[in-house]
Amino acid sequence: LDDHPRYFSALLTGNIEPMAYLKMELVGLDRFFKLPGAFGEESHERRDLPERAAGRINEHLQLDLSPDQFVVIGDTPNDIDCAKHFGARSVVVGTGRFYSTEELLACEPDAWLKDLSDTELVIRTLDSL
């Protein structure tokens, strides 16, 4: 996604900010999150975080993006729930260790991907939202 002109990435996580970036650094992904995000220390309620991140992103980009222009990609029911609460799209990825595909699909995400390894499929999925 880093090379795609339509999509930019930010971290939105229940982790505290230093831990979130450390986790991304350990797997070599930290350089891809160029937009400001939102983190667990800002609210105990995950549902609050997309609005915070969107406000920062809009300010950073000097735009007025609406909630439906954001996509939350995650691997838990909380990720799907916070996207829906904010009005964003949700893509659930079946790479998490704690929830089955059936449990995730029961939360009615906008899209499901087995993993993110097929970049073309990821972009087609995002484009379809």
Side-chain angles (χ1 to χ4, degrees):
L1 291 179
D2 196 48
D3 294 331
H4 197 285
R6 184 175 177 192
Y7 302 109
F8 298 90
S9 298
L11 280 175
L12 174 77
T13 177
N15 289 287
I16 62 170
E17 186 173 2
M19 181 59 70
Y21 280 105
L22 176 61
K23 285 180 171 184
M24 293 299 102
E25 182 181 343
L26 291 173
V27 294
L29 297 176
D30 56 312
R31 67 185 177 94
F32 296 110
F33 296 95
K34 297 177 180 154
L35 292 178
F39 304 91
E41 71 268 19
E42 299 178 81
S43 176
H44 295 291
E45 180 61 52
R46 176 88 55 102
R47 289 176 152 210
D48 296 339
L49 299 180
E51 184 174 358
R52 291 174 190 248
R56 292 174 181 144
I57 290 167
N58 278 329
E59 184 177 323
H60 180 83
L61 296 175
Q62 297 181 346
L63 294 172
D64 188 22
L65 300 170
S66 62
D68 66 331
Q69 292 177 281
F70 289 88
V71 178
V72 175
I73 300 173
D75 62 4
T76 72
N78 277 340
D79 299 321
I80 300 164
D81 179 62
C82 80
K84 285 183 178 190
H85 180 75
F86 177 60
R89 308 288 185 223
S90 62
V91 176
V92 70
V93 183
T95 54
R97 298 178 297 186
F98 301 109
Y99 300 96
S100 69
T101 299
E102 293 76 23
E103 289 172 305
L104 294 170
L105 291 176
C107 298
E108 300 180 355
D110 294 297
W112 177 86
L113 293 168
K114 177 183 167 193
D115 57 41
L116 301 174
S117 62
D118 183 342
T119 307
E120 290 180 22
L121 177 59
V122 171
I123 291 172
R124 280 196 315 273
T125 300
L126 294 176
D127 286 348
S128 74
L129 299 177

